[in-house]
């Protein structure tokens, strides 16, 4: 019986590892302990990265496991003493002729993430990732409200939202840190406030999945995109299919924000 329980827990952890990155990546705005509203520490934390030169290029992904996490990221991300065992960075370029408020509107439009798709490495097909999503008036799923307006995201206050993904029966509540907004840049951070589980099996503890997005205007209608996702997933971090699945979910987040069909061929990581 004990062996069976351990086996079931392993399956649960595997699916949770995949699902939680999918949800948090789609908003890429998780709050971490130590990241206060209006914190500027994350703004400069886009350590040297190779960004695709053109919006038509596929996003690029890099993966670091616990024994080789990049020192630059660990030093500049506002994570305090929290130690992730997996870090993934996705970089891309996208076209957008509008202003910052237009991008803030996309970030605040939580409900629009419903129906976003990702490439399932396991099943080798496009699948719906987010089944339901809503903005909240506080860290309580019962406090559903309309999507956030740009003026609200400029208020330098934290915001909250809930998402249900295709791997779970329970919603996960997230905190969206007050975005740092410059003349031509936006930086946002997020984290899970509630436990992520699959079929009621323990998966990822509150605060163990954190995401940071840095958006910069590099030309009149071109914007660079850097997303750093950090997690404490324990044994699942070294599994290649898990890493590929997480990258594909981050790609869904990028495409959703950039206004690109989330199921556009080809997937970033087909296998």
């Amino acid at each position: 019986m004990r062996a069976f329980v351990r086996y079931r827990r392993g399956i649960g952890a595997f699916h949770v590892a995949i699902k939680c990155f999918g949800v948090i990546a789609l908003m890429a705005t998780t709050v971490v302990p130590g990241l206060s509203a209006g914190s500027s520490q994350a703004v400069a934390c886009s350590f040297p990265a190779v960004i695709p030169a053109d919006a038509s290029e596929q996003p690029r992904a890099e993966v670091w496991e616990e024994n080789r996490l990049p020192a630059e990221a660990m030093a500049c991300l506002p994570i305090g003493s929290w130690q992730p065992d997996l870090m993934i960075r996705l970089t891309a370029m996208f076209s957008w002729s509008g202003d910052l408020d237009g991008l803030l509107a996309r970030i605040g439009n939580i409900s629009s993430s419903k129906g976003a798709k990702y490439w399932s490495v396991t099943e080798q097909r496009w699948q719906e990732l987010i089944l339901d999503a809503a903005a909240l008036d506080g860290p309580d799923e019962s406090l559903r409200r309309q999507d956030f307006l740009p003026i609200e995201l400029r208020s330098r206050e934290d915001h909250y939202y809930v998402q249900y993904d295709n791997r779970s029966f329970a919603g996960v509540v997230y905190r969206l840190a007050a975005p740092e907004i410059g003349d031509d840049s936006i930086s946002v951070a997020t984290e899970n406030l509630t436990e992520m589980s699959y079929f009621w099996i323990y998966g990822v503890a509150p605060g163990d999945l954190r995401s940071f997005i840095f958006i910069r205007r590099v030309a009149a209608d071109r914007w660079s995109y850097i997303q750093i996702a950090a997690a404490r997933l324990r044994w699942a971090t070294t599994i290649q299919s898990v890493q590929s699945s997480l990258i594909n979910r981050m790609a869904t987040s990028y495409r959703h924000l950039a206004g690109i069909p989330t199921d556009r061929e080809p997937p970033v990581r087909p296998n």
Side-chain angles (χ1 to χ4, degrees):
M1 176 62 73
R2 289 182 180 177
F4 175 75
V5 170
R6 284 197 296 269
Y7 174 73
R8 292 298 303 168
R9 285 177 184 268
I11 293 176
F14 175 83
H15 283 290
V16 169
I18 292 180
K19 88 151 189 190
C20 58
F21 251 78
V23 176
I24 215 164
L26 198 49
M27 264 308 300
T29 38
T30 308
V31 167
V32 295
L35 178 60
S36 59
S39 170
S40 61
Q41 186 176 2
V43 175
C45 193
S46 51
F47 59 101
V50 177
I51 300 175
D54 189 80
S56 63
E57 295 184 40
Q58 279 275 64
R60 299 179 183 179
E62 300 167 274
V63 179
W64 297 276
E65 296 170 11
E66 184 174 16
N67 60 350
R68 57 186 187 93
L69 295 175
E72 302 97 324
M74 297 301 294
C76 69
L77 290 175
I79 60 177
S81 60
W82 181 77
Q83 182 71 28
D85 52 27
L86 179 67
M87 186 175 292
I88 298 177
R89 177 171 62 183
L90 190 80
T91 59
M93 188 77 67
F94 68 95
S95 297
W96 170 251
S97 58
D99 57 13
L100 284 179
D101 274 353
L103 290 178
L104 285 173
R106 289 186 176 183
I107 293 172
N109 194 2
I110 306 296
S111 64
S112 69
S113 65
K114 289 188 292 186
K117 295 183 178 181
Y118 74 104
W119 176 259
S120 171
V121 173
T122 304
E123 301 182 34
Q124 287 292 291
R125 63 185 177 90
W126 295 101
Q127 288 189 315
E128 189 173 351
L129 176 60
I130 303 300
L131 306 182
D132 189 25
L136 303 174
D137 267 331
D140 185 331
E141 184 182 350
S142 66
L143 302 176
R144 293 196 173 208
R145 49 152 291 167
Q146 296 297 313
D147 292 320
F148 302 120
L149 299 173
I151 191 171
E152 293 178 283
L153 296 181
R154 288 182 175 274
S155 67
R156 305 189 68 79
E157 296 179 352
D158 292 344
H159 300 281
Y160 304 88
Y161 62 98
V162 62
Q163 285 182 329
Y164 285 75
D165 81 348
N166 66 335
R167 299 292 187 187
S168 67
F169 291 106
V172 178
V173 174
Y174 300 90
R175 179 170 56 193
L176 163 60
E180 283 291 332
I181 304 170
D183 292 336
D184 292 301
S185 64
I186 301 174
S187 300
V188 289
T190 66
E191 96 183 311
N192 63 308
L193 293 184
T194 57
E195 180 181 293
M196 296 171 161
S197 59
Y198 180 71
F199 286 114
W200 304 283
I201 299 174
Y202 168 79
V204 178
D208 270 358
L209 188 59
R210 311 177 184 190
S211 181
F212 306 86
I213 289 181
F214 310 94
I215 302 170
R216 305 281 188 277
R217 187 198 300 269
V218 297
D221 61 351
R222 286 197 304 141
W223 301 75
S224 66
Y225 176 98
I226 299 175
Q227 180 182 352
I228 301 172
R232 185 178 290 161
L233 301 180
R234 302 168 182 86
W235 68 272
T237 61
T238 60
I239 300 175
Q240 181 61 47
S241 61
V242 171
Q243 295 180 359
S244 295
S245 292
L246 304 184
I247 289 170
N248 285 338
R249 285 160 173 73
M250 293 174 72
T252 294
S253 173
Y254 156 68
R255 288 175 170 180
H256 177 69
L257 178 65
I260 300 170
T262 53
D263 58 352
R264 173 177 290 180
E265 295 284 358
V268 175
R269 286 290 177 93
N271 299 296

